[in-house]
């Protein structure tokens, strides 16, 4: 058992403005426990607390200043935790802090760069790496991903997420067994055999979370998320299984309702969050007080789920994320205070071992059978069904060992089953009768036979010896043939595998099929990994296709607007950057793959050369009738050295390729997610544009019927302009602002927009179809066009000015 208080760490987010010095200082001098001093600026200190303290000091296990990289956070916080999980202890890491202080960045990571990977992907990578290294145990890993939003639990890995809204999904509920263990109903567990599979699950959950999010339901800041790795291990041949769980928790923002001034739905959410964080605080206060008998875990879902992590069988670590800026000082102090209380909680982690349930089942089945048999005898109930083959076989074995046993005290235990008892009696009767008849028929002639047996045996012995010799020869010949065949097939296999790898490399696959160093193990473990890669990417792309499926159904206008929106979206730079990096990585991987294949070929050739050289030496020794020389052959030595060098190079390249593979996979997932986000943002913007237009359009007015479009020459001209303007849309240089944010939308609203030719016409002159969806598409399209034209006008004005200025300059 390990007794330990909850470890607390502080992580400071980089300030948004540079000049924020003087608000805090980190004191690392105190060797064991560094402290963070938060200094209140004078203007704030006045109204903040009565005693007008001007600075607050908080102790943490370690404080990570704003320049601490994700790698450092993982090495110092998560790695030791992952190790205790691998050793069989339950562990938890949770991030606590106000919205925007870096909880998600710390736990999951940033969505832009590979180096921004957070604790979850890095821990998964580390765990799977360790599992691969340890061949002394058999491990199984499962993943679950729970979201708690407004006190309801949702399974982020529920496949129905794609089709349903969050509210329609079955809620995850808590069940408690008599031993007060918590079980979560409707939370799915997914087996992950590789790091890639586990990462896919993480990204699937994050994407589902993002999809479910709407402007009215900013779940990411208002929900708690618990990503859990369930690990079980078993030594081969052992009956005990060890279980451990690692919870990685991204809590909801801890800010206060009064300060953020939210209302309506948001207020309800904030109340729930504040309530659940309040209950978390209550649990923590109760735990930090000695002699408290009742701990109010049951008050909220989050505290129930994390019951073990808080004062139970778990090693727990808290990361207080702080955004130490002047306006956040109050929240930062409250986060630090919370952490100080958390640090008082003591947990007792024990190894969770249990007998393999399969063995337990077998024992219980046996016991049930015995009880049934006894019951049948006691109640006199006749069992008529015949004994099974297996039971009969078992009985025969029991009887044989009973009859062979010389111990007069030995007993035949067949259980309280009359059918078995009868069967045994029948069998014994048969044996006794057989013996009797055998005795009668063989009795008098026995002596006669024995006399004439002696010469027969001599001859038979010689014959048998001859046959044995013959068989020996035959076997030797067969073994030689077999050896030759084996060599041939091995050579053929090598050739064909080289061919295959060549084909693969020529097809552009950057990953080699195996590592000669690690022999069969690696090659067999890599091949399915590749298959899985393929499977995973196919799975991902099908998921993405489903998520972004709407594009296929977009109208032409909508698609064009999407193209423009995409180009001007803030994330498009990131996507492009990542694309660029991905391209680089791919070409690097391809080049590496090729040089690895080359190295493999070289290794093969060197091996052949060594064997040949060796054979030559042996042949020379035989022909000159001398034994194989004891001094090593220098040429062979040289070849061996070359082989070692080549193998070393191969290993280095192979390791780099493996790392590249993980990075490529991660980058692809990041890009997929960015694409889904882009699509979502566009849909939101498009819907907002369409609905704001519908308000002004007669098509949306239920009182006035939609008038058919008057075929005036002007309007025809309008329509004929549409395709040419569409060309403008894609061919222009100055992009329109898509206005995804509400503020942006306001700026683009018809009232504030400068009038351009097309907007001078009343909207009713547009050919409305009467189908409000199509109409809103057309209207939104026209609006996008307006915005472009407006930009174009500005641009042309500017160009004109420039041209005039340069003409003036030239003339003077
Ligand atoms: P929270 O989850 O606490 O609401 P986020 O993790 O979403 O906050 O962080 C808000 C923003 O700040 C994100 O854009 C994130 O990339 C950025 N951020 C947070 N912490 C850091 C950090 N340590 N380094 C760089 N950027 C950070
Ligand atoms: Mg967050």
């Amino acid at each position: 058992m390990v007794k330990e208080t909850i470890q607390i760490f502080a992580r400071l987010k980089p300030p948004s403005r540079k000049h924020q010095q003087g608000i805090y200082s980190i004191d690392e001098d105190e060797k064991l426990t560094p402290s963070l001093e938060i200094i209140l600026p004078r203007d704030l200190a006045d109204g903040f607390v009565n005693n007008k303290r001007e600075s607050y000091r908080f102790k943490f296990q370690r404080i990570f200043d704003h320049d601490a990289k994700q790698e450092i956070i993982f090495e110092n916080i998560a790695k030791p935790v992952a190790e205790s999980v691998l050793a069989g202890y339950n562990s938890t890491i949770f991030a606590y802090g106000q919205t925007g202080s870096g909880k998600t960045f710390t736990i999951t990571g940033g969505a832009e760069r590979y180096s921004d990977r957070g604790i979850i992907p890095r821990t998964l990578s580390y765990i799977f790496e360790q599992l691969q290294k340890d061949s002394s145990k058999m491990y199984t890993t499962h993943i679950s991903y729970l979201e708690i939003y407004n006190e309801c639990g949702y399974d982020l890995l529920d496949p129905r997420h794609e089709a349903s809204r969050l509210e329609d999904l079955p809620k995850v509920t808590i069940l408690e067994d008599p031993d007060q263990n918590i079980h979560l109903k409707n939370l799915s567990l997914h087996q992950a055999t590789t790091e890639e599979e586990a990462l896919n699950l993480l990204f699937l959950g994050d994407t589902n979370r993002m999809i479910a999010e709407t402007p009215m339901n900013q779940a990411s800041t208002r929900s708690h998320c618990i990503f859990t790795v369930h690990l079980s291990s078993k030594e081969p041949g052992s009956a005990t299984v060890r279980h451990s769980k690692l919870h990685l928790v991204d809590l909801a923002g801890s800010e206060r309702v009064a300060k953020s001034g939210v209302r309506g739905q948001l207020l309800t959410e904030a109340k729930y969050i504040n309530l659940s964080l309040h209950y978390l605080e209550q649990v923590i206060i109760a735990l930090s007080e000695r002699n408290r008998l009742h701990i109010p875990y049951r008050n909220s879902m989050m505290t129930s789920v994390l019951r073990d992590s808080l004062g139970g069988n778990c090693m727990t670590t808290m990361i207080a994320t702080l955004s130490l800026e002047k306006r956040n000082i109050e929240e930062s102090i409250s986060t630090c205070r919370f952490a100080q209380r958390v640090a008082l909680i003591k947990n007792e982690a024990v190894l969770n071992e249990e007998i393999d349930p399969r063995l337990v089942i077998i024992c219980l089945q046996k016991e049930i059978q015995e009880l049934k048999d006894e019951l049948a005898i006691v109640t006199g109930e006749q069992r008529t069904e015949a004994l099974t083959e297996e039971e009969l076989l078992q009985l025969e074995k029991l009887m044989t060992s009973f009859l062979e046993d010389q111990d007069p005290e030995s007993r035949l235990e067949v259980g309280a089953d009359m059918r078995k008892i009868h069967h045994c009696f029948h069998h014994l009767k048969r044996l006794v009768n057989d013996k009797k008849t055998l005795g009668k028929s063989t009795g008098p002639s026995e002596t006669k036979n024995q006399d004439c047996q002696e010469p027969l045996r001599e001859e038979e012995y010689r014959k048998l010896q001859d046959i044995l010799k013959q068989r020996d020869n035959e076997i030797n010949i067969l073994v030689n043939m077999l050896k030759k065949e084996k060599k041939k097939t091995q050579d053929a296999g090598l050739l064909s595998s080289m061919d295959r790898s060549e084909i693969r490399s020529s097809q552009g696959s950057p990953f080699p099929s195996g590592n000669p160093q690690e022999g069969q193990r690696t090659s067999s473990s890599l091949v399915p990994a590749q298959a899985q890669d393929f499977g995973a990417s196919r799975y991902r792309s099908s998921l993405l296709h489903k998520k972004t499926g709407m594009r296929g159904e977009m109208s032409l206008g909508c698609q064009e607007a999407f193209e423009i929106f995409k180009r001007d979206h803030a994330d498009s730079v990131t996507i492009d950057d990542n694309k660029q990096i991905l391209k680089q990585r791919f070409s690097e991987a391809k080049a590496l793959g090729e040089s690895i294949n080359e190295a493999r070929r070289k290794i093969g050739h060197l091996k052949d050369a060594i064997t040949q050289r060796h054979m030559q030496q042996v042949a020379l020794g035989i022909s000159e009738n001398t034994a194989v020389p004891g001094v090593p052959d220098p040429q062979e030595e040289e070849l061996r050295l070359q082989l070692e060098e080549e193998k070393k190079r191969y290993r280095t390249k192979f390791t780099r390729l493996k790392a590249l593979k993980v990075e490529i996979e991660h980058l692809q997932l990041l890009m997929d997610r960015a694409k889904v986000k882009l699509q979502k943002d566009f849909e939101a913007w498009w819907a907002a544009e369409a609905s704001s237009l519908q308000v002004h359009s007669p098509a949306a007015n239920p009182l006035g019927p939609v008038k058919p479009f008057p075929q005036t020459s002007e309007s025809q001209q309008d329509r004929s302009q549409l395709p040419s303007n569409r060309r403008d849309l894609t061919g222009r240089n100055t992009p329109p602002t898509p206005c995804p944010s509400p503020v942006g939308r306001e700026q683009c609203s018809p009232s504030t927009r400068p009038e351009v030719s097309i907007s001078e016409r009343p909207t009713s002159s547009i050919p409305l179809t009467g189908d409000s969806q199509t109409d809103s598409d057309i209207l939104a399209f026209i609006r996008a066009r307006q915005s472009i034209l407006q930009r174009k006008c500005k641009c042309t004005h500017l160009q004109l000015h420039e041209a005039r200025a340069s003409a003036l300059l030239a003339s003077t």
Side-chain angles (χ1 to χ4, degrees):
M1 187 200 293
V2 181
K3 282 190 184 185
E4 206 182 63
T5 51
I6 296 185
Q7 311 273 302
I8 54 163
F9 295 90
R11 184 184 197 185
L12 274 50
K13 187 191 152 182
S16 53
R17 272 168 285 156
K18 285 241 162 80
H19 308 290
Q20 286 285 337
Q21 283 106 351
I23 286 184
Y24 71 91
S25 72
I26 297 170
D27 191 356
E28 298 270 15
D29 285 347
E30 300 165 49
K31 270 185 192 135
L32 283 174
T33 42
S35 66
L36 173 73
E37 187 179 14
I38 301 181
I39 302 143
L40 275 188
R42 284 204 167 269
D43 51 337
L44 270 183
D46 281 347
F48 185 59
V49 273
N50 292 337
N51 57 9
K52 292 189 182 171
R53 263 174 72 175
E54 287 191 350
S55 82
Y56 291 81
R57 192 173 277 277
F58 302 101
K59 285 186 188 298
F60 287 93
Q61 235 88 32
R62 251 192 96 162
I63 300 158
F64 297 93
D65 209 346
H66 60 80
D67 50 359
K69 298 269 170 282
Q70 298 284 59
E71 173 76 34
I72 301 288
I73 300 289
F74 169 74
E75 286 291 329
N76 288 281
I77 304 179
K79 200 167 164 184
V81 175
E83 267 166 12
S84 66
V85 174
L86 287 166
Y89 294 101
N90 289 341
S91 305
T92 299
I93 301 179
F94 70 93
Y96 181 97
Q98 68 184 112
T99 298
S101 57
K103 295 182 296 296
T104 308
F105 186 81
T106 303
I107 297 290
T108 311
E112 291 174 14
R113 281 177 296 271
Y114 181 63
S115 55
D116 283 349
R117 264 144 55 245
I119 284 177
I120 302 181
R122 284 173 198 267
T123 308
L124 288 175
S125 186
Y126 182 74
I127 288 180
F128 279 101
E129 195 184 309
Q130 297 307 109
L131 296 191
Q132 249 188 358
K133 275 188 199 162
D134 183 7
S135 52
S136 68
K137 289 194 192 110
M138 293 180 295
Y139 288 96
T140 39
T141 318
H142 287 85
I143 303 285
S144 66
Y145 205 177
L146 169 71
E147 177 172 34
I148 303 173
Y149 177 63
N150 284 1
E151 264 312 290
C152 295
Y154 299 97
D155 181 3
L156 283 175
L157 301 179
D158 190 324
R160 282 163 292 187
H161 246 294
E162 291 165 24
S164 326
R165 288 182 311 152
L166 193 66
E167 294 76 13
D168 301 334
L169 289 173
K171 307 231 180 341
V172 177
T173 45
I174 294 180
L175 303 174
E176 202 174 317
D177 67 16
D179 297 331
Q180 296 198 324
N181 293 316
I182 297 289
H183 302 274
L184 294 169
K185 197 178 149 199
N186 289 334
L187 181 69
S188 55
L189 279 188
H190 299 255
Q191 185 162 12
T193 47
T194 59
E195 180 191 344
E196 285 85 0
E197 279 178 25
L199 274 181
N200 271 326
L201 290 168
L202 167 69
F203 276 83
L204 175 67
D206 281 344
T207 313
N208 280 338
R209 190 182 187 196
M210 199 170 74
I211 296 288
E213 204 176 70
T214 63
M216 285 307 285
N217 153 18
Q218 281 290 330
S220 64
T221 57
R222 298 190 177 88
S223 65
H224 312 288
C225 267
I226 305 176
F227 183 89
T228 310
V229 183
H230 308 249
L231 198 70
S232 13
S233 62
K234 185 174 174 283
E235 278 175 26
S238 157
T240 46
V241 186
R242 209 173 259 188
H243 299 285
S244 54
K245 268 188 260 180
L246 169 63
H247 292 308
L248 298 167
V249 189
D250 184 359
L251 289 178
S254 63
E255 59 275 348
R256 289 161 194 189
V257 186
K259 189 183 170 191
S260 41
V262 286
R263 278 185 184 77
Q265 158 98 352
L266 298 191
L267 179 64
T268 323
E269 286 170 358
K271 270 186 194 157
Y272 273 121
I273 307 156
N274 272 19
L275 208 60
S276 65
L277 288 176
H278 167 72
Y279 286 134
L280 174 66
E281 207 157 341
Q282 279 197 345
V283 165
I284 279 159
I285 291 171
L287 283 166
S288 54
E289 280 174 15
R290 272 189 209 160
N291 310 325
R292 262 295 278 268
L293 288 177
H294 175 69
I295 310 292
Y297 288 113
R298 285 206 189 91
N299 280 348
S300 81
M301 182 162 193
M302 199 240 306
T303 46
S304 302
V305 176
L306 294 182
R307 180 189 193 137
D308 264 344
S309 311
L310 306 163
N313 171 18
C314 191
M315 296 207 198
T316 304
T317 298
M318 169 186 165
I319 307 175
T321 53
L322 300 163
S323 171
L324 265 172
E325 292 181 23
K326 200 167 154 187
R327 63 197 155 104
N328 293 332
I329 232 154
E330 203 177 323
E331 295 299 344
S332 305
I333 290 174
S334 119
T335 303
C336 290
R337 279 199 180 130
F338 180 78
Q340 305 300 299
R341 273 201 294 267
V342 167
L344 300 175
I345 300 174
K346 253 199 193 119
N347 278 359
E348 288 178 4
V350 288
L351 286 176
N352 307 295
E353 284 182 334
E354 62 172 26
I355 307 286
D356 189 345
R358 279 168 299 185
L359 286 182
V360 176
I361 290 171
I362 291 171
C363 288
L364 287 175
Q365 275 173 340
K366 208 172 148 211
E367 197 180 330
I368 289 171
Q369 194 52 50
E370 280 169 10
L371 288 170
K372 269 187 186 169
D373 293 343
E374 266 177 41
L375 196 69
I377 284 198
V378 171
T379 55
E381 184 194 322
Q382 292 289 322
R383 294 179 67 177
T384 48
E385 72 268 35
L387 290 167
T388 63
E389 285 284 313
E390 213 175 306
E391 284 169 325
L392 289 174
L393 213 73
Q394 185 71 19
L395 277 179
E396 310 276 287
K397 268 191 202 163
L398 278 173
M399 275 186 283
T400 318
S401 62
F402 170 69
L403 289 172
E404 282 170 1
D405 196 342
Q406 299 299 320
D407 183 4
E409 300 285 300
S410 70
R411 291 171 58 174
L412 179 57
E413 301 274 6
V414 292
D417 185 344
M418 284 316 287
R419 294 169 309 161
K420 289 183 183 169
I421 295 169
H422 285 310
H423 180 80
C424 285
F425 277 125
H426 280 301
H427 187 77
L428 285 172
K429 189 177 173 183
R430 213 168 39 236
L431 276 180
V432 172
N433 284 343
D434 284 356
K435 206 159 188 186
K436 265 188 201 160
T437 47
L438 208 74
K440 268 182 205 160
S441 59
T442 53
S445 60
E446 244 175 31
T447 39
K448 216 196 280 175
N449 259 350
Q450 266 176 357
D451 291 342
C452 58
Q453 256 180 1
E454 283 311 311
L456 214 157
R457 274 192 184 163
E458 272 264 340
E459 208 172 82
E460 218 175 344
Y461 180 65
R462 233 178 294 123
K463 256 190 202 167
L464 282 172
Q465 245 183 349
D466 284 345
I467 292 173
L468 209 67
K469 241 184 218 167
Q470 232 175 336
R471 293 283 179 272
D472 264 352
N473 283 344
E474 279 172 18
I475 287 170
N476 279 342
I477 294 165
L478 281 170
V479 166
N480 279 340
M481 278 169 67
L482 214 66
K483 272 184 187 166
K484 273 183 201 161
E485 279 304 311
K486 204 175 160 191
K487 187 158 184 331
K488 258 190 224 166
T489 45
Q490 265 175 354
D491 289 350
L494 193 73
L495 266 176
S496 70
S497 77
M498 274 164 67
D499 285 350
R500 252 181 280 131
S501 66
E502 267 166 24
I503 290 167
R504 205 172 304 143
S505 72
S506 69
Q507 281 171 344
S509 163
F511 305 115
S513 61
N515 176 358
Q517 283 308 290
E518 291 172 36
Q520 275 190 329
R521 201 177 75 84
T522 320
S523 61
S524 61
S525 67
L526 258 178
V527 173
Q530 280 175 38
Q532 274 158 5
D533 278 355
F534 183 61
S537 63
R538 222 176 14 186
Y539 168 63
R540 207 175 45 236
S541 67
S542 85
L543 169 76
L544 199 73
H545 183 76
K546 273 183 203 155
K547 305 275 187 212
T548 55
M550 175 213 163
R551 268 204 81 189
E553 299 150 20
M554 277 185 188
S555 64
L556 259 176
C558 188
Q559 276 184 32
E560 279 183 18
F562 179 72
E563 289 306 318
I564 297 161
F565 184 90
K566 191 168 79 180
R567 202 177 53 200
D568 300 333
H569 194 273
D571 285 353
S572 72
V573 184
T574 320
I575 296 179
D576 286 347
D577 283 355
N578 276 343
K579 236 190 226 167
Q580 228 28 54
I581 299 172
L582 203 59
K583 247 189 196 167
Q584 276 173 11
R585 299 289 183 271
F586 254 125
S587 51
E588 191 185 340
K590 200 178 160 193
L592 259 177
E594 276 161 13
S595 67
I596 283 175
N597 282 331
E598 183 56 37
R600 289 182 69 219
R601 260 195 297 278
K602 272 191 193 162
I603 290 172
H605 288 152
L606 282 168
K607 273 185 179 167
D608 284 350
I610 290 171
T611 326
Q612 241 177 16
R613 179 76 198 158
H614 195 74
M615 296 290 274
Q616 274 172 7
Q617 290 297 100
V618 174
L620 203 72
I622 292 170
S623 67
E624 288 173 4
N625 220 359
T626 53
V628 182
V631 214
D633 169 31
Q635 204 172 332
E636 195 183 319
E637 281 298 290
E638 172 63 31
L639 283 171
R640 279 191 194 283
L641 272 178
Q642 279 180 24
L643 182 69
E644 280 315 304
E645 276 299 304
E646 205 55 57
K647 279 180 179 174
K648 220 184 272 169
R649 267 200 289 277
Y650 180 95
R651 265 198 297 265
T652 327
K653 283 178 189 161
F654 196 79
T655 320
R656 169 74 191 132
L657 187 64
K658 259 184 164 174
L660 261 181
K661 196 170 143 252
V662 175
E663 188 178 343
I664 287 173
E665 183 75 17
H666 193 98
L667 279 170
Q668 279 173 334
L669 288 168
L670 284 181
M671 276 179 59
D672 287 352
R673 209 161 67 181
K675 280 180 198 162
V676 177
K677 184 166 176 285
L678 186 74
Q679 178 81 34
K680 253 180 69 70
D681 286 354
F682 173 72
E683 279 166 27
W685 171 72
W686 182 260
E689 288 290 302
S691 66
S692 82
L693 272 168
Q694 265 182 348
V695 173
H696 299 101
S697 110
N701 182 2
L703 296 172
V706 180
K707 282 183 194 161
F709 174 63
Q711 298 286 326
T712 61
S713 59
E714 190 195 56
S715 62
Q716 268 165 352
Q717 198 186 340
D718 259 6
R719 287 206 289 179
S720 64
Q721 270 177 356
L722 265 167
S724 64
N725 277 323
R726 276 191 191 157
R727 266 197 300 283
D728 284 347
L729 261 168
T730 47
R732 88 226 142 89
N733 293 326
T734 328
T737 315
C739 317
S741 69
V743 184
R745 223 179 288 144
E746 233 160 61
Q747 283 167 353
C748 291
S749 75
S751 57
T752 54
R753 191 178 295 136
E755 300 285 282
V756 283
S757 59
I758 195 147
S759 65
E760 278 163 12
R761 290 186 204 105
T763 3
S764 59
S765 66
I766 297 160
L768 297 174
T769 60
D771 167 6
S772 65
Q773 181 58 43
T774 325
D775 288 350
S776 63
D777 277 7
I778 294 171
L779 293 167
F781 167 71
I782 287 171
R783 177 164 245 215
R785 225 183 91 203
Q786 277 181 336
S787 162
I788 295 155
L789 284 174
Q790 171 195 339
R791 295 281 167 146
K792 276 193 105 179
C793 283
K794 274 189 193 161
C795 194
T796 328
H797 275 302
L798 262 175
Q799 281 167 349
L800 264 173
H801 277 302
E802 274 177 15
R804 261 189 216 150
S806 46
L808 261 173
L809 269 173
S811 64
T812 52

